[in-house]
Amino acid sequence: MLIDILHRELTLFGATLYPTDTLLLALLLIIIALSIFFFTAMFGRVWCGWACPQTVYLELVFRPIERFFEEKPGRKARFGGAGSAIKVVVYIALAFGLAHTFLSYFVGTDALRQWIFGSPLDHPLAFIIIIAVTGLMLFDFGFFREQSCIVACPYGRFQSVMLDQDSLIVGYDRKRGEPRGKKRRKGGDVSLKVVEVNEDAPPLGDCIDCTMCVQTCPTGIDIRDGLQMECVSCTQCIDACDAVMDKIGRPRGLIRYASQRSMDGNGRHWLRPRVIVYPAIIAVLVTIMSILMVTRAAALVTVMRGPGSPFTSLEDGMVANPIKLKIHDRSPEGAVYEISLVDLEGGRIEGTNPITLEPGQMFTEPMTLIAPAAAFKAGRLPVRIHVQAEGFDRDVEYLMFGPATFTTGEN
């Protein structure tokens, strides 16, 4: 994937889209939006917990580094008092590398390689971007952290309209866990069976209120309070709770992946209107987009009226119309385009001809259409401009203006 902002190109899996591919870009955005709706309706916030770079880098890279270098209560420091300083150095190196990776999505790896081994004075803007992105990543992963998910990211606020009773979420089984309470082992019994502290009190649920699920939650919520906007479905609370259940001899799954309907004791409905309608619409849009991509012309040709007077009468009895010809090459190899007027005796076109374009290059030049004054009727003359290249052949209709001459017939 390459999002080339400078050249205004979007490359996805070998296919390049340009600003002139308005319909294709619109279809792509709609497909992405509907796909988000569909996957959220089916699997909840699986993106947030398992694929979002914010979660992946924070929980699998930066936090483990922090735990490795920094001193913790009850544990001997590996690096003495220098642990925090070493951690910051490692953070800076990681952020610097990630900033280069981020920039490569917008300029490509070839340009990035040249910039890395060249002087920053040769590309000051790119160097400033690298420094700025490095600073932002240090701020995000070193300080702001989960606040990005809670405050900055809008996805959590969207989930209330994208989830339903059958969407997959991280949930706490209240029927099994409540009422909460501390438990103790049977005296002298080495088994993992537990009994309630107060034998006369109502039976307690499996939740021993150890709060491990709260302590391990990166956003600091209590999953036992129900579904909340801050939950990113990272399932760290599931791992912590399962470990506690293993220790007290109770089955796993007190906190688990489930739907709200199944948590209430009802079966989960896999087939429902939204999970049928979303894929159907996506399939139709993907089919339309694929057909448009396959049948897309190798170039886009636009003829616009030129500035100034619409026509000029020449001394040799010809009429000239200024135009602006725009050709956008969309072929992978580039092409040489030849322009001519079709079926107009005595007509010609003046300007750059033929036109050699590189892949993705756009040509916009003023040109002049010239036609005999006798060919005009009531000051108008429809003409066809023929643009031809290897693998491309197209006629563009254009209306020329000229002097309006009228003849009076006999009575």
Side-chain angles (χ1 to χ4, degrees):
M1 181 176 68
L2 178 63
I3 310 171
D4 193 338
I5 296 178
L6 294 179
H7 298 92
R8 298 187 298 172
E9 297 176 0
L10 172 62
T11 301
L12 293 172
F13 306 104
T16 302
L17 301 180
Y18 302 96
T20 52
D21 295 315
T22 309
L23 181 57
L24 290 174
L25 290 170
L27 288 173
L28 178 62
L29 293 176
I30 295 173
I31 290 171
I32 292 174
L34 290 176
S35 299
I36 293 174
F37 297 161
F38 170 67
F39 281 107
T40 304
M42 285 292 295
F43 307 110
R45 297 181 67 176
V46 64
W47 163 265
C48 296
W50 296 93
C52 178
Q54 174 71 21
T55 303
V56 171
Y57 285 119
L58 179 60
E59 301 300 332
L60 299 182
V61 179
F62 284 88
R63 274 206 170 104
I65 290 174
E66 182 179 57
R67 289 193 291 265
F68 180 80
F69 285 107
E70 288 198 342
E71 182 179 356
K72 296 294 182 181
R75 190 187 71 184
K76 184 178 179 181
R78 291 189 176 95
F79 303 93
S84 297
I86 298 175
K87 180 199 74 173
V88 172
V89 172
V90 175
Y91 273 13
I92 293 174
L94 277 173
F96 196 62
L98 291 176
H100 282 78
T101 303
F102 172 80
L103 186 62
S104 68
Y105 281 94
F106 300 91
V107 301
T109 54
D110 294 335
L112 182 64
R113 187 179 299 108
Q114 295 177 1
W115 292 350
I116 289 175
F117 295 102
S119 170
L121 298 178
D122 297 334
H123 42 82
L125 180 59
F127 184 72
I128 292 173
I129 292 175
I130 287 292
I131 298 301
V133 174
T134 300
L136 289 173
M137 286 189 175
L138 286 174
F139 171 77
D140 181 23
F141 294 118
F143 173 74
F144 205 56
R145 296 191 164 184
E146 62 275 354
Q147 298 303 313
S148 297
C149 304
I150 300 173
V151 178
C153 182
Y155 193 82
R157 292 165 176 79
F158 290 159
Q159 73 171 354
S160 59
V161 296
M162 291 191 288
L163 295 177
D164 57 25
Q165 293 290 321
D166 295 289
S167 300
L168 197 64
I169 62 171
V170 175
Y172 165 69
D173 192 342
R174 300 188 62 85
K175 290 185 176 181
R176 175 184 157 188
E178 300 296 326
R180 309 170 197 170
K182 301 293 183 181
K183 302 176 178 63
R184 59 176 174 81
R185 300 183 187 277
K186 288 183 177 180
D189 190 352
V190 295
S191 70
L192 293 179
K193 287 187 177 182
V194 294
V195 296
E196 288 70 26
V197 175
N198 186 356
E199 301 290 347
D200 298 329
L204 295 177
D206 284 352
C207 179
I208 62 173
D209 205 16
C210 63
T211 70
M212 290 300 298
C213 55
V214 181
Q215 297 177 42
T216 58
C217 178
T219 58
I221 65 171
D222 190 341
I223 195 64
R224 298 172 297 178
D225 294 337
L227 180 64
Q228 298 159 69
M229 181 195 74
E230 295 81 3
C231 178
V232 295
S233 295
C234 66
T235 69
Q236 292 194 49
C237 56
I238 294 180
D239 294 337
C241 186
D242 285 347
V244 172
M245 292 297 106
D246 290 342
K247 291 179 181 180
I248 66 173
R250 295 298 174 90
R252 293 186 170 194
L254 179 60
I255 300 176
R256 63 182 183 272
Y257 262 133
S259 67
Q260 289 181 324
R261 192 185 303 275
S262 62
M263 284 291 185
D264 294 335
N266 303 315
R268 184 184 178 192
H269 297 165
W270 289 95
L271 291 178
R272 50 196 194 275
R274 66 173 61 192
V275 300
I276 298 175
V277 173
Y278 286 153
I281 298 176
I282 292 172
V284 172
L285 294 180
V286 169
T287 302
I288 295 174
M289 186 174 178
S290 301
I291 293 174
L292 292 177
M293 287 290 295
V294 172
T295 59
R296 183 177 62 163
L300 180 66
V301 179
T302 306
V303 179
M304 299 171 287
R305 201 166 298 280
S309 176
F311 71 92
T312 302
S313 297
L314 306 180
E315 295 180 356
D316 58 356
M318 306 293 282
V319 176
N321 276 209
I323 64 169
K324 186 175 287 186
L325 180 65
K326 182 177 180 180
I327 302 178
H328 185 195
D329 181 83
R330 299 188 294 196
S331 63
E333 298 86 12
V336 178
Y337 297 89
E338 296 182 358
I339 300 96
S340 60
L341 285 176
V342 181
D343 299 333
L344 180 60
E345 186 177 353
R348 66 183 186 274
I349 184 168
E350 294 184 351
T352 305
N353 194 12
I355 302 167
T356 303
L357 298 181
E358 299 294 329
Q361 185 179 356
M362 186 177 295
F363 169 90
T364 304
E365 288 287 340
M367 305 185 80
T368 304
L369 298 180
I370 299 177
F376 288 83
K377 294 182 179 179
R380 300 188 176 192
L381 175 62
V383 297
R384 285 188 298 156
I385 302 173
H386 184 65
V387 182
Q388 183 178 7
E390 184 178 355
F392 180 79
D393 194 308
R394 184 183 175 189
D395 289 342
V396 180
E397 295 184 354
Y398 183 79
L399 181 63
M400 294 183 64
F401 289 136
T405 57
F406 299 92
T407 58
T408 304
E410 296 181 358
N411 293 331

